[in-house]
Structures are given as C-alpha cells and as structure tokens.
Amino acid sequence: MLRTADEELTIDELAARAGVTVRTVRFYSSRGLLPPPRLRGRLGLYGGDHLARLDLIRELQALGFTLSAIERRLERIPADASPDELALQRALIAPWTNEHAEDLERHDLDRRRHLDDALVEQLIELGILQRIPDSARLRLPSPAMLGVGLQILDLDLPLEMLLQAKGIVEQHTAQIAEDLRELFAANVLRPYVERGRPEDERKRVRAATDQLRPLTIQVLVNGFQRAVNDVIRDHV
C-alpha cells in the first residue's frame, strides 16, 4: 500500500491501520520510537511516516530485537525520514523467510507425530526445537524444519556426527552471510548514504534488496550442489 507522509490519521485510525492498540502507539511514542503527531488545534494527527515506522518496529520485533535494540536502531534514522526511506530500511532488515516460530504444548507436537522424550531431546540438541525458559512449552523456530529433522533422525546416524554436521553448516553459512552483507553494504548501501540518500536512487536500492534474496538463495543452492559434485568426483 502506498503511504504518504501527509496522510492525516487520528491515533485510533493509526492504531487500526497498523494493527496495534492505541495503548501500544502511546507506549512507543513515550519511548521515542514514534515522532510526535502533527497538531491541528488540540488534535494530534499522524501520517504515513508513522505507519511506516510501526511497520519497521514490527519487522524488528519479528527478527527478535529487544525494545532497547529497536530504540538504538531507530535513533540512527532521522525523525523526518519519509515513508519511502523507512520502507527501504524495512526492506534491508526483512526476514528472508515468511515462516513464523510456533510455541507448542507437548500434546500439540504429538498431534503431528508422537515423539518420545529421547527424540524430543535430540531435536532440541539439533536446534530444531527450543526450550522456552520458565515454561513447559517448546518453541519451533522453523515449522518446515521439523519434518526435515525427523527424517534426519530416522536415518539412525550417530547424534554426535549430526551435531558436528550442524556446526559445520552454521559456521560456513554464517560466514557467507556476513561476507555477502559486507559486500552489499560496501558497493550499494554506503555509496547511497554517502550521496545523501538521493530519492531517485531509493527505489533502485530497495528493488536490488528485494530481488537479491531469492537470487542469493538460488546461487547458494546451485553452488553447494556443484561443490558436492566436485568433491565426489575428486574423491571417488
């Protein structure tokens, strides 16, 4: 939805459009996460920039940012940033998956497949399930990975081997992600910022950000497949 900074919304309308409560809007405002409304007499009016900031806050929360971390992030964004600029900020930090973590009771998990305690513990060790502190519930960070994890455990391979494999994958994928982030920042984001964030470049940077996600995933998958083929050829 196109959002313009000159939209005029009451706090009730802003909350309804953003999908939050009026109390939440007031709380964010009190913490400095939202700029003050524009006043018309005694009536405070909000605009597309406030909506865009609420979208950005929700995206940061989805990534697991604490309130303090969100405050630090928003402190680096000018108070008069336009909805387009805020939309670009949101695109830069948007999760690369549409999956949402699920918090489950043990019986919810058993409805999908009956799991004994030992199997649950193995899934926790592999990071597919997580314990929720001070709760009997379990968190499933990636619902799609539950089936994958169960298939892996069905192979009846040594758990120590699986944990080592997990560590190898996490180590190298984290390094790839960091290297690619720095490459994109150095060649796209920093030049854009150094040129004063020109409006005519904003859409190009945002489009590049959006399109890079699926392209990068495809390149990584294909690159890994070729690497495996090379290893097989060299060692067989």
Side-chain angles (χ1 to χ4, degrees), residues 113 119 122-123 126 128 145-159 161-163 165-166:
R113 172 172 162 178
L119 201 54
Q122 290 178 343
L123 289 170
L126 291 173
I128 292 168
M145 280 301 296
L146 179 59
V148 174
L150 290 172
Q151 289 181 58
I152 290 174
L153 292 179
D154 284 343
L155 297 175
D156 200 26
L157 296 170
L159 181 60
M161 170 194 160
L162 296 178
L163 292 172
K166 173 178 177 283

Side-chain angles (χ1 to χ4, degrees), residues 51-64:
L51 276 171
R53 280 184 182 267
L54 287 171
D55 287 342
L56 180 56
I57 291 169
R58 186 166 56 247
E59 207 73 77
L60 290 165
Q61 289 174 326
L63 283 169

Side-chain angles (χ1 to χ4, degrees), residues 84-85 88 191-192 195-207:
D84 283 344
E85 178 65 24
L88 173 58
Y192 165 71
R195 286 192 288 269
R197 296 183 171 88
E199 290 187 17
D200 59 341
E201 289 189 31
R202 194 171 295 150
K203 288 185 178 179
R204 178 185 65 82
V205 174
R206 185 177 177 186

Side-chain angles (χ1 to χ4, degrees), residues 94-151:
W96 281 40
T97 173
N98 293 324
E99 281 194 300
H100 297 285
E102 294 182 25
D103 291 350
L104 305 169
E105 301 286 353
R106 178 61 185 272
H107 62 80
D108 295 325
L109 195 59
D110 286 339
R111 285 197 191 105
R112 304 183 185 193
R113 172 172 162 178
H114 178 69
L115 305 174
D116 60 32
D117 291 342
L119 201 54
V120 169
E121 288 299 322
Q122 290 178 343
L123 289 170
I124 290 172
E125 287 193 67
L126 291 173
I128 292 168
L129 288 174
Q130 297 174 349
R131 296 190 188 281
I132 299 176
D134 303 319
S135 172
R137 307 182 79 195
L138 295 166
R139 177 161 296 151
L140 183 58
S142 172
M145 280 301 296
L146 179 59
V148 174
L150 290 172
Q151 289 181 58

Side-chain angles (χ1 to χ4, degrees), residues 5 35 38 49 53 74 77-86 202:
R38 293 175 278 279
D49 50 339
R53 280 184 182 267
L74 293 184
I77 301 175
D80 60 352
S82 70
D84 283 344
E85 178 65 24
L86 291 164
R202 194 171 295 150

